[in-house]
Amino acid sequence: MALVNMKDMLVHAHRNGYAVGAFDLVSLDFLQGILDGAERCEAPVILSLAESHFEYFDFEIIMPAVEAAARRANVPVAIHLDHGASLESAIAGIRLGCNGVMVDASTQPFEDNVNYTRRIVDMAHGCGVPVEGELGYVAGVEGEDAERHPGEVIYTSVEEASEYVERSGVDFLAVSIGTVHGRMRGEPQLDIERLGRINQALGIPLVIHGGTGLSDAQFTALIENGVTKINYYTALSDAAARRIRANADADSGCGYTGLVKGAAAAIQEEVERCIRLWGSAGRAEAVLAEAAPWQEVEHVIVYNTEGADAQQVDELMAIGRDTLGQIPGVRRVFTGHALAEDAKYRHCWVVRFAHAEVVDSYRHHPDHQAYADTHFRPVAGDRISIDFEDAG
Ligand code: 13P
């Protein structure tokens, strides 16, 4: 079980002067290639899922595989929603298993960016989940030619960065200092001096988007100036695509499995190169020792009803599943009837929380309070309620 608290992971990197790779994945080949690369280097790693990629896979369907792979890994892993489009995206990401979220409001005016990000932070912190904000604008599209994407790079201002972090409460800040998402022609010009001033002013983990295409020396300069999370995708996509093209050239009649053969290994090679370059190789043990494991909580209630018939109890449960399942930090709502007729308690709720922080935010959430006061408590006076942390 190597899913760990992402804030602990990045604080370790910030304090020790290295960067963790946040590699975007779009398929199981990427998942395997990224984790194999991290395991071979004994490095912490972030599995990143960008909302702009959701047209290529079903987020809800891929997440159980991502989470299972993260929990099975021997190295510390965090799962991050990259460039979420809205508060609702962040809530859905946490429900599906992300333990770090970014909601990108960087195209909005400063005040709107601050206020919207603050709402995300309040929600996510109530779930124990850290938040990445972005200030300034990193143009381009992951996996595409950056020049084809409209939009100018807007550099992050040092003064605005301090105000933004203080008012929004973000845990990590993505800065715009000259990188672009995707491939770009020519050498990117980075404003390292500006980055250094931002780092001095903030003292929190900084994030670089658009890692593809930077030179080794540029990565070193970024990391020396506070960058502790590097978002990286296009070069992985290109490495996989080169392998697929070579497979097609070698055997023009091959089928799907023949085409994608070796794609995960090509991704793994590039992941390994980055991890070694960014200084996170060999850090797994130290991070595992310091970072809190990411543990869910089961909120269990067993109860008997009075003054409600079987149909009313089923309705009560159905309303509860709908209402409570929407509350931030709730991952699953199970309602059940006892199998044994002589069971001391006839019914139950088992509500899975993403993290122990949800115990409080759930209890105080207005939808929970309204449901409990209106529907549940009036008929379920005889009940026991206990929160259990994963002991495994
Ligand atoms: P690249 O595709 O340029 O590596 O950028 C990835 C990224 O920043 C994802 O958020």
Side-chain angles (χ1 to χ4, degrees), residues 167-246:
R167 287 177 54 200
S168 68
V170 293
D171 304 277
F172 327 117
L173 183 68
V175 291
S176 175
I177 52 138
T179 58
V180 294
H181 292 110
R183 288 178 224 117
M184 73 185 286
R185 213 171 284 143
E187 171 100 342
Q189 300 300 315
L190 303 187
D191 190 342
I192 296 294
E193 194 267 333
R194 176 189 298 261
L195 176 67
R197 283 190 291 128
I198 296 171
N199 186 37
Q200 287 227 313
L202 301 186
I204 64 168
L206 301 178
V207 180
I208 278 293
H209 285 247
T212 296
L214 301 181
S215 68
D216 293 6
Q218 285 176 319
F219 280 126
T220 304
L222 291 173
I223 295 165
E224 279 172 0
N225 286 280
V227 167
T228 47
K229 172 174 178 279
I230 297 176
N231 285 23
Y232 203 78
Y233 168 71
T234 305
L236 305 185
S237 160
D238 286 348
R242 274 195 301 277
R243 188 63 58 95
I244 291 168
R245 260 183 240 111

Side-chain angles (χ1 to χ4, degrees), residues 250-262:
D251 176 4
S252 61
C254 69
Y256 176 79
T257 51
L259 278 176
V260 298
K261 194 161 183 242

Side-chain angles (χ1 to χ4, degrees), residues 175-378:
V175 291
S176 175
I177 52 138
T179 58
V180 294
H181 292 110
R183 288 178 224 117
M184 73 185 286
R185 213 171 284 143
E187 171 100 342
Q189 300 300 315
L190 303 187
D191 190 342
I192 296 294
E193 194 267 333
R194 176 189 298 261
L195 176 67
R197 283 190 291 128
I198 296 171
N199 186 37
Q200 287 227 313
L202 301 186
I204 64 168
L206 301 178
V207 180
I208 278 293
H209 285 247
T212 296
L214 301 181
S215 68
D216 293 6
Q218 285 176 319
F219 280 126
T220 304
L222 291 173
I223 295 165
E224 279 172 0
N225 286 280
V227 167
T228 47
K229 172 174 178 279
I230 297 176
N231 285 23
Y232 203 78
Y233 168 71
T234 305
L236 305 185
S237 160
D238 286 348
R242 274 195 301 277
R243 188 63 58 95
I244 291 168
R245 260 183 240 111
N247 289 340
D249 288 347
D251 176 4
S252 61
C254 69
Y256 176 79
T257 51
L259 278 176
V260 298
K261 194 161 183 242
I267 291 164
Q268 174 192 326
E269 241 172 70
E270 179 60 7
V271 165
E272 273 193 61
R273 188 187 74 81
C274 292
I275 285 176
R276 294 189 197 285
L277 183 61
W278 300 343
S280 55
R283 308 275 188 175
E285 206 179 311
V287 172
L288 283 173
E290 281 191 28
W294 187 255
Q295 281 182 308
E296 296 170 326
V297 164
E298 299 283 2
H299 173 66
V300 180
I301 302 176
V302 289
Y303 63 100
N304 291 314
T305 55
E306 223 183 284
D309 62 22
Q311 193 190 336
Q312 285 167 322
V313 172
D314 281 342
E315 278 167 15
L316 170 101
M317 288 178 166
I319 298 169
R321 285 193 300 270
D322 279 356
T323 312
L324 306 175
Q326 307 296 320
I327 294 177
V330 171
R331 300 205 55 199
R332 167 181 180 267
V333 181
F334 172 88
T335 50
H337 302 299
L339 280 173
E341 285 191 2
D342 59 350
K344 189 164 177 211
Y345 291 96
R346 304 289 317 134
H347 315 289
C348 78
W349 295 98
V350 184
V351 184
R352 182 170 300 165
F353 294 156
H355 185 267
E357 286 289 325
V358 182
V359 172
D360 264 356
S361 57
Y362 174 84
R363 185 183 301 126
H364 296 119
H365 194 281
D367 292 347
H368 170 255
Q369 289 187 338
Y371 175 77
D373 289 344
T374 315
H375 297 279
F376 184 60
R377 289 179 185 138

Side-chain angles (χ1 to χ4, degrees), residues 76-97:
V77 181
I79 305 173
H80 189 61
L81 173 69
D82 188 23
H83 291 287
S86 63
L87 177 65
E88 292 69 31
S89 307
I91 294 170
I94 293 169
R95 177 167 49 79
L96 293 172

